[in-house]
Amino acid sequence: MMQNKVFSLLGLAMRGHRVVSGELQTLEAIKKGTAVLVILAEDASENTRKLFTDKCSFYEVDVVTYGTKEQLGRAIGKDERSSVGICDEGLAKAVVDKMQTEQ
C-alpha cells in the first residue's frame, strides 16, 4: 500500500514539472546539477544501473532502486521508464521517507 504513495508522489512531481525521465534527460539533469534523486527500476539492465550509479556517484546525486519499469512509467503517465530523476529537494526527501517507512 505504501508503494502507491511513492508512485503518487512521483505523479505529483511530474505534474509540477519536477521530474525528468528516460536515459538522456535524466543524465542531462544529473550533469547540470538539477537532479536531486534518481530512481532506477529494479528490472533495469546492468549497463543502465552501472551508468547511473557511476554518474550519480561522480556528481554526488542520490540514487535508489525502486519499482519496475512499467510501474515507474505508469506513475508519471508515460511508457516504461528505467530511470526517473526528481529535481525538487522536498519531493525527493518525501519519496525517500516513504520508501524507508515501507521497509
Side-chain angles (χ1 to χ4, degrees):
M1 213 50 174
M2 290 302 269
Q3 199 171 37
N4 291 336
K5 292 189 179 198
V6 171
F7 293 131
S8 294
L9 284 171
L10 285 177
L12 180 66
M14 184 67 183
R15 286 187 295 278
H17 302 287
R18 297 292 182 208
V19 168
V20 292
S21 66
E23 188 173 318
L24 294 176
Q25 287 183 337
T26 306
L27 284 173
E28 187 177 321
I30 293 168
K31 290 176 185 177
K32 284 183 176 179
T34 57
V36 178
L37 174 69
V38 173
I39 302 173
L40 292 176
E42 293 168 353
D43 55 350
S45 71
E46 283 300 314
N47 287 338
T48 301
R49 287 176 194 239
K50 181 172 177 12
L51 173 69
F52 280 101
T53 53
D54 289 350
K55 288 291 182 193
C56 288
S57 174
F58 182 79
Y59 288 99
E60 298 178 355
V61 175
D62 292 332
V63 61
V64 295
T65 302
Y66 190 80
T68 64
K69 290 191 265 189
E70 181 183 351
Q71 289 172 325
L72 287 178
R74 191 177 329 130
I76 61 171
K78 305 267 186 191
D79 292 333
E80 291 184 349
R81 299 287 189 229
S82 294
S83 61
V84 174
I86 299 177
C87 300
D88 182 270
E89 261 186 68
L91 284 168
K93 184 180 180 326
V95 167
V96 170
D97 288 346
K98 292 294 180 193
M99 287 178 185
Q100 288 174 346
T101 57
E102 178 181 294
Q103 297 173 352

